[in-house]
């Protein structure tokens, strides 16, 4: 099976580009921030600088690990589902489910290892640039030099390989197990995350306005709530589609296509919900905190500066990762529909009507992801704002939300339309003759 995996990669490398890119970015982020652990452990580093570097590496490294798994999992899930016919042929030819799993896992690990190795150079440069930011802001002493050592290297490679192997295993398992069993496990995890998120958000009221840990519980609560909504993404999307009063050919086809592809679109909704919730919650809570400190006339401490830097950095990483995940997943999912688009054109649909359907699908997905992500974010923002300022809603206005919505819409609708436009260049008869 290992030889078959290597042969598959050599013969059709294009299908693994999305996984390679996700692994490259994931390993790069993990090694960049974990190099701060190596830097903090150098002889002669003062305690304040060491604590700042260690905290930043631990917090952002943890987010990075989670995002690597989601990024690799989303691309591999699309890849495995598109290869259902090939995998079924292997099974009919005598391959056991275990052999097929080992083949797919072997492919994923080989591609992930390549991405991690390619990320070493950029991670070294990124770690140096990140240390410069901390030194320029006064959070780290000027005499601290960057170090890229075993912690950064081993964590980046090991976490990326484990994420790739685990995501590949789960993707193949989902493709071969019954849907009812999958649904029960997903529902259990979803409700557990929702319950833990609600408990975390509620516990915000147990803190005082000046407590240093005040932002932690609503932030983690919003994340857990968004994870719960993300796990329920197929059900949530189905509930919305059942109530959409869309009319016209494009609207009707969009709803029909989305209903038919609920499972395939779950990864895209996961990205949208997590991106919206984490970005909106973090940015608004950081804005409320900064305004509260300015109003009180307090000078930002090193810990306050560290928290602000971490919040902005985490949001930046999430933006990059989610865009990559969305673009990869949407490109693969839309490019795979060449046969479907050809059939629609032979049935009388014009290229403009096909693009209109794809645009309507993207708009619906974006709206659903933004809605449930915003609900999860508000569940964390409102308790934090009430405790910190005695107001119910933050005073930053809708500017932050509109910026997040614009990025989500551009990534989702833009990628879908651009990919569909490229696919439509294939003549309809030739597209129908393509293998599904």
């Amino acid at each position: 099976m290992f030889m078959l995996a290597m042969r598959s990669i050599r013969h059709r490398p294009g299908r693994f580009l999305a996984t390679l890119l996700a692994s490259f970015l994931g390993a790069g982020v993990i090694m960049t921030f974990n190099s701060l652990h190596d830097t903090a452990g150098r002889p002669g580093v003062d305690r304040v600088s060491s604590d700042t570097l260690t905290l930043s590496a631990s917090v952002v490294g943890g987010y990075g690990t989670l995002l690597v798994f989601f990024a690799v999992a989303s691309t591999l899930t699309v890849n495995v589902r598109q290869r259902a016919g090939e995998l079924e042929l292997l099974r009919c030819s005598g391959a056991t489910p275990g052999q097929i799993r080992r083949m797919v896992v072997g492919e994923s690990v080989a591609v992930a290892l390549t991405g991690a190795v390619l990320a070493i150079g950029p991670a070294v440069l990124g770690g140096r640039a990140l240390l410069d930011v901390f030194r320029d802001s006064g959070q780290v002493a000027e005499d601290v030099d960057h170090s890229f050592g075993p912690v950064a290297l081993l964590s980046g490679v090991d976490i990326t390989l484990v994420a790739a192997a685990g995501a590949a295993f789960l993707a193949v398992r989902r493709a071969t197990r019954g849907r009812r069993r999958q649904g029960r496990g997903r529902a259990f995890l979803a409700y557990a995350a929702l319950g833990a998120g609600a408990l975390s958000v509620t516990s915000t009221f147990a803190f005082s306005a000046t407590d240093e840990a005040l932002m932690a519980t609503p932030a983690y609560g919003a994340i857990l709530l968004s994870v719960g909504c993300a796990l329920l993404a197929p059900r949530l999307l189905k509930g919305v589609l059942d109530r959409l009063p869309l009319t016209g050919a494009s609207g009707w086809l969009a709803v029909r296509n989305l209903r038919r592809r609920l499972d395939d679109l779950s990864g895209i909704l996961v990205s949208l919900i997590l991106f919206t919730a984490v970005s909106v919650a973090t940015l608004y809570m950081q804005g409320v905190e900064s305004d509260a400190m300015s109003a009180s006339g307090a000078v930002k401490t090193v810990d306050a500066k560290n928290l602000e830097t971490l919040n902005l950095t985490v949001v930046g990483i999430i933006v990059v990762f989610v865009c990559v995940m969305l673009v990869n997943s949407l490109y693969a999912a839309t490019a795979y529909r060449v046969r479907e688009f050809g059939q629609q054109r032979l049935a009388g649909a014009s290229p403009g009507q096909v693009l209109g359907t794809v645009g309507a699908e993207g708009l619906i997905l974006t709206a659903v992801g933004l809605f449930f992500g915003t609900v999860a974010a508000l569940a964390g923002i409102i308790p934090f704002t009430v405790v910190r300022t005695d107001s119910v809603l933050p005073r930053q206005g809708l500017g932050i939300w509109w910026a997040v919505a614009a990025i989500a819409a551009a990534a989702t609708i833009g990628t879908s339309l651009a990919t569909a436009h490229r696919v439509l260049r294939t003549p309809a008869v030739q597209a129908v003759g393509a293998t599904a």
Side-chain angles (χ1 to χ4, degrees):
M1 282 295 141
F2 177 78
M3 295 300 298
L4 185 59
M6 296 302 101
R7 181 183 177 186
S8 176
I9 294 174
R10 286 196 302 269
H11 285 194
R12 300 186 67 180
R15 65 162 55 144
F16 300 101
L17 287 179
T19 304
L20 178 65
L21 180 58
S23 302
F24 172 80
L25 290 173
V29 169
I30 292 173
M31 288 189 285
T32 294
F33 281 92
N34 278 310
S35 69
L36 299 182
H37 280 301
D38 294 309
T39 303
R42 288 173 60 98
V45 178
D46 63 279
R47 183 176 179 179
V48 174
S49 298
S50 178
D51 290 345
T52 297
L53 295 172
T54 302
L55 177 64
S56 302
S58 300
V59 174
V60 183
Y63 276 107
T65 301
L66 179 64
L67 290 171
V68 168
F69 183 82
F70 274 117
V72 176
S74 64
T75 56
L76 285 174
T77 299
V78 174
N79 182 290
V80 169
R81 283 174 176 162
Q82 291 179 350
R83 298 170 63 189
E86 173 190 337
L87 299 180
E88 180 64 20
L89 180 61
L90 287 173
R91 192 185 67 79
C92 293
S93 300
T96 65
Q99 290 175 322
I100 294 175
R101 282 196 292 269
R102 287 193 292 273
M103 181 193 74
V104 176
V105 170
E107 294 172 353
S108 304
V109 168
V111 173
L113 179 60
T114 303
V117 171
L118 292 175
I120 293 176
V124 174
L125 299 177
R128 290 176 181 172
L130 187 61
L131 180 61
D132 289 339
V133 172
F134 282 110
R135 285 191 299 211
D136 292 342
S137 64
Q139 297 165 258
V140 173
E142 289 291 338
D143 59 349
V144 176
D145 295 324
H146 180 256
S147 176
F148 188 91
V151 176
L153 184 62
L154 292 178
S155 62
V157 174
D158 291 349
I159 290 174
T160 305
L161 293 183
V162 170
F169 178 82
L170 292 176
V172 178
R173 194 179 183 186
R174 280 196 297 266
T176 55
R177 291 176 65 186
R179 290 190 177 184
R180 179 175 300 178
R181 193 174 177 184
Q182 292 179 36
R184 289 177 179 175
R186 181 187 288 265
F188 174 79
L189 292 175
Y191 293 126
L194 291 174
L199 181 63
S200 181
V201 166
T202 305
S203 65
T204 305
F205 296 101
F207 292 88
S208 65
T210 57
D211 201 312
E212 292 183 355
L214 174 61
M215 193 183 297
T217 53
Y220 283 121
I223 293 173
L224 288 171
L225 290 173
S226 67
V227 169
C229 291
L231 291 172
L232 293 174
R235 297 186 183 185
L236 297 177
L237 180 58
K238 183 178 184 302
V240 172
L241 294 176
D242 290 342
R243 293 165 177 80
L244 271 183
L246 289 182
T247 58
S250 295
W252 183 85
L253 281 175
V255 172
R256 177 181 176 276
N257 291 337
L258 290 174
R259 282 198 183 111
R260 182 170 52 86
R261 300 166 56 228
L262 283 175
D263 291 335
D264 294 336
L265 297 171
S266 60
I268 297 170
L269 270 182
V270 166
S271 303
L272 284 169
I273 293 173
L274 289 175
F275 166 65
T276 303
V278 177
S279 300
V280 171
T282 304
L283 291 175
Y284 272 107
M285 282 192 279
Q286 183 57 57
V288 171
E289 176 66 22
S290 298
D291 287 350
M293 292 192 69
S294 298
S296 65
V299 178
K300 286 187 179 180
T301 63
V302 173
D303 290 339
K305 290 181 178 179
N306 288 345
L307 182 60
E308 184 175 2
T309 302
L310 286 175
N311 286 336
L312 297 178
T313 303
V314 166
V315 172
I317 293 173
I318 290 172
V319 168
V320 172
F321 256 89
V322 169
C323 286
V324 171
M325 291 165 63
L326 282 175
V327 170
N328 282 348
S329 300
L330 285 167
Y331 178 83
T334 307
Y336 186 68
R337 300 171 67 185
V338 56
R339 184 185 182 91
E340 174 190 336
F341 292 163
Q343 290 173 336
Q344 291 178 6
R345 291 161 65 191
L346 289 179
S350 66
Q353 289 174 320
V354 175
L355 287 176
T357 300
V358 173
E361 294 173 8
L363 181 61
I364 295 171
L365 284 176
T366 303
V368 173
L370 286 172
F371 175 78
F372 288 106
T374 302
V375 170
L378 285 174
I381 293 171
I382 291 176
F384 175 79
T385 306
V386 169
V387 175
R388 190 69 175 93
T389 66
D390 292 330
S391 300
V392 177
L393 294 175
R395 300 176 180 177
Q396 280 68 32
L398 293 176
I400 295 175
W401 188 88
W402 280 116
V404 172
I407 295 173
T412 306
I413 302 175
T415 302
S416 299
L417 290 176
T419 307
H421 184 269
R422 177 177 173 272
V423 170
L424 288 173
R425 295 177 182 175
T426 304
V429 175
Q430 181 180 341
V432 172
T435 56

